[in-house]
Amino acid sequence: MRTLGIVQARMGSSRLPGKVLRRLGGRTVLDRVVRAAHDSGVLDDLVVATTTETRDDAVVAECEAIGVAVHRGPVDDVLTRFLGVLDERADESDAVLRFTADCPLLDPELIMLAANVFAATPDLDYLSTSIARTLPRGLDVEIVRTEVLRQIDKLATDHHRTHVTSYVYSHPYDYSVLGLTLQPDLSHLRLTLDTEDDWRLIETVVAQFGDRPVPVRTLADWLADRPELAGINAHVRQKELAQA
């Protein structure tokens, strides 16, 4: 199975503009996401999908600096951005691993696990760790069959185009969908980057563990002994699906 990774990234953010190029441990947030994706060892190719807005010239420059391919497309129609990547690569992939550039603590081992489960289930259209969430927000992994991503271009509207894959998991009777869960349940932890309080927590984690991906269990155990840290962003609420 040929697997393509696509990282969606842009400078615009309603709550934390420019977050993808903030620096953590000597590299940008985007660089850390790209490295975690590469370190999983399951990708045949990786592309950053950004927008045609002038302010995202900085994202393009960063991609050139870290040696990763980049594609530019619409701001809110992220599905079209992804399909543009597929067009440029002549649909050479069998599956697409979707990443967002606001998850600098991604665990390569989780990416590898999800990709291997997907590859071992030939009739599967979509797999995600967030359907029944047991992982911290910010460490989720999702993978979709390339032909399904193509099919939903004619079906997905409104927020489903912003969230790329949401049409698939919102129609589980039309597609073969699998929710991957892991134990123990660590869903109470928030490790994504969307607010200044998220940033405070993530900066502290990186200051402790340095410039390397941290296995989720190691990170969870460390935070369990420091409830005051996990509480820094516990009040932050994720936007609803239709809000983005």
Side-chain angles (χ1 to χ4, degrees), residues 75-144:
V75 176
D76 295 320
D77 189 348
V78 190
L79 176 57
T80 291
R81 263 192 262 165
F82 274 56
L83 296 174
V85 174
L86 298 181
D87 287 343
E88 287 183 347
R89 274 149 178 74
D91 282 354
E92 293 177 354
S93 63
D94 300 299
V96 173
L97 266 163
R98 176 188 175 226
F99 304 99
T100 58
D102 54 2
C103 298
L105 299 180
L106 272 176
D107 182 351
E109 293 181 6
L110 293 177
I111 301 170
M112 179 179 64
L113 173 63
N116 288 342
V117 171
F118 188 89
T121 316
D123 295 330
L124 200 57
D125 292 321
Y126 175 82
L127 177 147
S128 174
T129 59
S130 61
I131 292 175
R133 182 181 299 281
T134 57
L135 288 174
R137 189 176 293 278
L139 273 70
D140 286 306
V141 184
E142 62 176 331
I143 183 168
V144 60

Side-chain angles (χ1 to χ4, degrees), residues 9-231:
R10 66 186 184 99
M11 293 294 283
S13 168
S14 59
R15 295 203 279 193
L16 197 62
K19 60 185 177 180
V20 302
L21 294 188
R22 286 195 177 195
R23 302 195 72 82
L24 280 168
R27 65 178 70 229
T28 63
V29 169
L30 175 59
D31 191 1
R32 291 180 69 94
V33 173
V34 166
R35 183 180 60 168
H38 275 308
D39 286 354
S40 70
V42 300
L43 297 179
D44 295 286
D45 198 3
L46 180 66
V47 180
V48 172
T50 191
T51 86
T52 54
E53 287 193 324
T54 302
R55 59 181 166 179
D56 285 324
D57 291 350
V59 174
V60 174
E62 173 66 2
C63 290
E64 292 172 351
I66 63 178
V68 63
V70 63
H71 171 82
R72 306 187 79 162
V75 176
D76 295 320
D77 189 348
V78 190
L79 176 57
T80 291
R81 263 192 262 165
F82 274 56
L83 296 174
V85 174
L86 298 181
D87 287 343
E88 287 183 347
R89 274 149 178 74
D91 282 354
E92 293 177 354
S93 63
D94 300 299
V96 173
L97 266 163
R98 176 188 175 226
F99 304 99
T100 58
D102 54 2
C103 298
L105 299 180
L106 272 176
D107 182 351
E109 293 181 6
L110 293 177
I111 301 170
M112 179 179 64
L113 173 63
N116 288 342
V117 171
F118 188 89
T121 316
D123 295 330
L124 200 57
D125 292 321
Y126 175 82
L127 177 147
S128 174
T129 59
S130 61
I131 292 175
R133 182 181 299 281
T134 57
L135 288 174
R137 189 176 293 278
L139 273 70
D140 286 306
V141 184
E142 62 176 331
I143 183 168
V144 60
R145 197 164 299 283
T146 302
E147 63 185 63
V148 170
L149 206 55
R150 281 287 190 198
Q151 290 170 8
I152 65 173
D153 185 31
K154 300 177 181 178
L155 303 169
T157 58
D158 301 323
H159 64 273
H160 288 311
R161 301 198 71 86
T162 301
H163 292 284
V164 184
T165 57
S166 60
Y167 184 89
V168 180
Y169 60 77
S170 297
H171 294 78
Y173 292 103
D174 298 328
Y175 300 97
S176 176
V177 173
L178 177 65
L180 180 64
T181 61
L182 293 90
Q183 295 300 317
D185 185 350
L186 302 173
S187 59
H188 61 285
L189 295 173
R190 178 181 171 85
L191 300 173
T192 190
L193 177 58
D194 198 34
T195 70
E196 287 291 351
D197 284 336
D198 294 334
W199 177 253
R200 289 172 57 205
L201 174 58
I202 290 171
E203 266 197 316
T204 304
V205 169
V206 173
Q208 170 66 27
F209 291 98
D211 186 33
R212 60 185 175 89
V214 185
V216 61
R217 290 294 299 273
T218 300
L219 183 51
D221 289 346
W222 184 76
L223 287 171
D225 292 334
R226 296 160 179 83
E228 73 283 0
L229 292 181

